[in-house]
Amino acid sequence: MEAPREEEVIKFLRKYTVAWFRSVYGTFTPAQLMAIPYIKRGHNVLISSPTGTGKTLAAFLPIVDELYSYGELGDLENRIYVVYVSPLRALNNDIVKNLKVPIDGIRETAKNMGLALPELRVGIRTSDTLPSEKQKMLRNPPHILVTTPESLAIALTAPKFREKLSGVRWVIVDEVHELASSKRGAHLALSLERLEELVPGELQRIGLSATIAPLERVAQFLVGFRSDLEPRECVVVDARFLKPMEVEVLCPAVDIIRGSADEINEAIYREIKNLILKHRTTLIFTNTRSSTERVVFKLRKMFEKEGIIDVDEIEAHHSSLSRDVRLEVENKLKNGALRAIVSSTSLELGIDIGYIDAVILLSSPKSTTRLIQRVGRSGHNVSDVSRGYLLAVDRDDLVEVIVLARLAKERKLDRVNIPRKPLDILAQHIVGMSLEKKWHVKEAYEVVRRAYNYHDLTWKEFISVVEYLAGKYEDMLTATRTYSKIRYYDDEGTFGRKRGARMIYYLNSGAIPDEAKIRVFTEDGRYVGDLEEEFVEYLEPGDVFVLGGRTFQFVGSRGMRAIVRRVEHQRPTVPSWFSEMLPLAFDSAVEVARFRGFVSQLIDSLGPRKAVKELAETYGVDARVAKYVVDYVYEQKRYVGIVPDDKTFLVELWYDEVSRSDNAIFHTLLGRRVNDSLGRAIALLVSDLIDINVRVTVTDNGFMLTVPSEKELFNEALIAEVFKTLKSDELRNILRRALRRSEILKRRFRHCAERALALLKNYRGEETSINRRQVNSEILMKVAEAIPNFPILEEAYREVMEDVMDVSNAENILKLIETGDIKLHIVRVDGPPSPFAHNIVTHGYSDIILMEDRRKLLLKLYEEVAKRLLERKQ
């Protein structure tokens, strides 16, 4: 889409609006030029552009202009015209402050032109809004309502406030990319269809998004379908790549293979220090909250010692900090009082953070889309260059960031994953709908299917949720006090409100599960410490992890207690930050695998030395970085003769003399979500065949199966037998078996049961404990297993397989293996594992307490491989 000329665009706006805009901003940005005419003509519009390109004003300016035109004619009524929805309450407060500028400015400009315009009111309604404020809104509703997906859903069922929403004309959805990829998006999509039922005409929907793909699918998510189930139309304003961007790959100035953990750390911080000193304000992204705290601590200590920068000019920002602390940090940033700010993911979203002139990414951001979003936080104006530095810390990381930097320059984005048919969110909305009126079931089904996430919902799935809510299984579920939430009149095909359901809905609706700590005890009842629930989700009996500097083996869980046993000299299988770590996106992962093949071909055609030069030139990296990558691939090639890439998978069989275990390392560079799907399924099939419990270690670059044994158990025949059973059309069934008793299913089932109002977080105004809910959840789950197609259990399986894992892409990979498009090679190594396997083997050692151990182990493996290669040469 070409941006129209400014003269064409200003025809759509009133003179006083244009005069105010030019006095403040001078000229329109491309996003504004493209969007304003379409919004004025009444089209649904999705605006996708980076931070600092004026997309918020692109949405609001034509609407504020329109509302003032009503005011000119005396037609501005005492009702809500605009609903603005954002996933962040903090962003809502920002929007209200920022909206006052154009609203008051345009009114003042009009006054100077001799026009008296009425006041435009803006109000916030979230869970923080006081009851007295809500009462004021009933008497004097805002013309523009600022809210969240959760508060909008509740507002739709509040009888008096619902009336105030009946005249809404515009809905603006901010941060669409953040909402679309989660159940909060499904929650909002259903609310918008319910709002659509309430208003007389069609809503005009405007979506604001950072960089995301594919835009057509995201646009469809925003607007949904019409009553005839044909897609609603949406104009896509694609201004994602109009802002210039520069990305540089850096590597610490130390030997990243032979250097100790301390040497590498010192080199990394020297690099960060130099970049901070080169720029006015630097935003540093880490991949975990714990890393954020560690980096801030180290930087403050370093700058305090050197006396170059005041330590108060360095701050942390992440979701675990209190709201007051975050706001204080954000204000310091906006006021230009910070030299460096370190964040995990919390500053990726569109909070106005003022001027940033450089972004450092410590390690791979795991996705091209995320890289562009993060780097896009620098250079706040549309003409400013967004400048990013990717700092890699090992050879796998280096390979990844080189590819992601190239993909970012080529604008190749990862496809967003939008949850399909989440039945727990549906259950919540059916209860909400029952509070509005008595519905014909078929009529409600058609409304639900208009929402993008539910377009493929079958009648059978819909009715299963209605019947569960109506108490069909009440007799079986009395032990968990799971009672009906709606009245269902089967004979007349209608459903309606049940007494007491309104308060249950108000106190328990929403899509975000409670975060909880799991208390850890040894088998003899000794308290060890706490773990995040998200971490425990990933544990399987036999997994080894580090807590408080000691190594423990996971035995199982009871409610919110984890039972462990102390173990010595066992290789940790899961690092403590694993649940926080962003998984490598599938599309990016395939490109990284393809890059490995490209480097291998360069070595074949040019030889290693010339390959370094060619790689440096082609990918715009320095010769030292290119040499690390070429040497890495060349060592793999010489050691096992195979470089796994996007067309070649390697299964490497390796016996570990130290732990007396046999291992099958699957070099499948597909990202953690796909590898988790394949790893669990293959582990189950191996366990079926050899009748031994199989432990799985999952990474982005592959996965490893481990069995304790005094001899080699894995062989080519066993792997071939597994792949005879592991067919693409059977993967989901095999995974269901693998997940049946897993921690992740147990805990996700509780989340789904809470969203579906089977387990109440708040009953009659009193909070119920998470421990009690988890215990009840486990009882409920056992009963649910005896009920065919019980919707909450079906949703828990779907969420784990499709949202946590990536079963769809795993199925596609298996199809490619079945057709021979991906070749499978099985090799047993005599000696240490191959170079590409080293980070998989040492994966569990990634805790800070064991970092030195990990470095030593990596160096030991590297030197053993180098020694073997030298012996072969002689």
Side-chain angles (χ1 to χ4, degrees), residues 285 287 361-366 374 390-393 397 401 581:
F285 278 109
N287 284 346
L361 279 66
L362 282 182
S363 291
S364 166
K366 299 293 174 181
R374 287 181 170 185
L390 290 149
L391 191 51
V393 295
D397 208 28
V401 298
M581 190 70 182

Side-chain angles (χ1 to χ4, degrees), residues 194-263:
R194 287 166 58 194
L195 182 60
E196 194 84 48
E197 280 294 289
L198 182 61
V199 301
E202 272 212 341
L203 293 169
Q204 185 180 351
R205 306 187 195 200
I206 299 151
L208 310 178
S209 174
T211 309
I212 195 170
L215 284 181
E216 294 70 27
R217 196 192 306 168
V218 177
Q220 207 57 64
F221 161 78
L222 171 70
V223 300
F225 296 81
R226 295 196 303 262
S227 297
D228 59 3
L229 298 182
E230 284 296 310
R232 291 193 185 102
E233 289 174 4
C234 185
V235 174
V236 174
V237 171
D238 184 0
R240 292 172 297 179
F241 309 122
L242 296 177
K243 197 174 172 188
M245 183 180 70
E246 290 176 6
V247 181
E248 189 178 341
V249 174
L250 300 173
C251 187
V254 67
D255 188 332
I256 62 170
I257 303 166
R258 295 182 181 83
S260 69
D262 283 346
E263 287 169 336

Side-chain angles (χ1 to χ4, degrees), residues 492-555:
E492 57 183 52
T494 61
F495 69 87
R497 178 167 64 91
K498 185 177 181 189
R499 192 177 172 189
R502 187 178 297 279
M503 193 51 65
I504 285 172
Y505 181 78
Y506 284 0
L507 295 175
N508 294 277
S509 62
I512 306 168
D514 288 341
E515 285 191 10
K517 294 276 188 192
I518 305 285
R519 290 170 66 78
V520 182
F521 293 85
T522 56
E523 288 171 299
D524 58 4
R526 189 168 56 84
Y527 172 64
V528 176
D530 293 341
L531 291 170
E532 297 284 340
E533 186 177 20
E534 297 96 318
F535 174 72
V536 175
E537 278 186 349
Y538 288 98
L539 296 179
E540 292 290 322
D543 269 329
V544 178
F545 63 93
V546 177
L547 180 61
R550 297 187 171 182
T551 315
F552 295 95
Q553 187 175 59
F554 182 65
V555 175

Side-chain angles (χ1 to χ4, degrees), residues 305-496:
K305 187 180 174 186
E306 297 182 7
I308 313 170
I309 290 175
D310 188 333
V311 292
D312 289 338
E313 294 179 281
I314 300 164
E315 292 284 7
H317 190 288
H318 56 74
S319 56
S320 294
L321 295 171
S322 74
R323 184 169 172 267
D324 289 346
V325 171
R326 287 202 309 271
L327 282 174
E328 189 184 326
V329 171
E330 286 162 23
N331 286 331
K332 282 173 82 172
L333 187 56
K334 285 176 200 173
N335 297 333
L338 294 181
R339 286 297 302 274
I341 181 163
V342 188
S343 175
S344 49
T345 56
S346 55
L347 286 180
E348 282 178 5
L349 295 188
I351 301 167
D352 181 12
I353 56 173
Y355 186 82
I356 298 279
D357 58 347
V359 171
I360 301 171
L361 279 66
L362 282 182
S363 291
S364 166
K366 299 293 174 181
S367 150
T368 317
T369 307
R370 188 174 287 108
L371 189 160
I372 292 171
Q373 281 173 9
R374 287 181 170 185
V375 172
R377 298 302 267 160
S378 67
H380 199 66
N381 296 318
V382 69
S383 56
D384 293 340
V385 174
S386 292
R387 188 165 281 107
Y389 300 93
L390 290 149
L391 191 51
V393 295
D394 64 34
R395 295 196 294 182
D396 277 331
D397 208 28
L398 205 50
V399 168
E400 218 170 276
V401 298
I402 288 171
V403 175
L404 293 182
R406 174 68 171 262
L407 292 173
K409 287 169 190 169
E410 293 174 352
R411 312 308 201 213
K412 287 184 180 172
L413 303 177
D414 302 289
R415 291 164 296 169
V416 66
N417 175 53
I418 300 175
R420 302 311 297 262
K421 304 191 283 190
L423 300 180
D424 49 354
I425 297 292
L426 173 62
Q428 204 176 109
H429 275 266
I430 290 172
V431 174
M433 290 168 86
S434 77
L435 302 176
E436 298 169 6
K437 65 174 189 179
K438 197 173 183 182
W439 287 80
H440 282 281
V441 182
K442 288 205 166 140
E443 176 197 6
Y445 174 57
E446 293 308 321
V447 169
V448 165
R449 284 184 68 210
R450 294 198 316 238
Y452 177 83
N453 305 69
Y454 295 93
H455 189 56
D456 301 326
L457 184 76
T458 65
W459 174 252
K460 187 180 173 185
E461 287 166 330
F462 182 76
I463 282 296
S464 76
V465 176
V466 170
E467 288 178 341
Y468 141 68
L469 289 169
K472 182 178 179 181
Y473 311 110
E474 208 165 81
D475 292 346
M476 300 172 75
L477 303 176
T478 48
T480 54
R481 296 182 179 180
T482 303
Y483 304 119
S484 60
K485 306 293 185 300
I486 63 171
R487 291 210 176 278
Y488 178 34
Y489 308 94
D490 195 6
D491 53 337
E492 57 183 52
T494 61
F495 69 87

Side-chain angles (χ1 to χ4, degrees), residues 789-804:
N789 303 314
F790 187 66
I792 300 173
L793 185 56
E794 290 301 307
E795 175 53 27
Y797 275 117
R798 188 213 63 79
E799 182 179 318
V800 173
M801 288 198 282
E802 294 182 10
D803 300 348
V804 180

Side-chain angles (χ1 to χ4, degrees), residues 65-76 81 169-170:
D65 181 79
E66 195 76 10
L67 291 175
Y68 276 137
S69 78
Y70 297 168
E72 272 187 67
L73 299 168
D75 290 340
L76 189 69
Y81 286 89
R169 185 178 158 191
W170 296 276

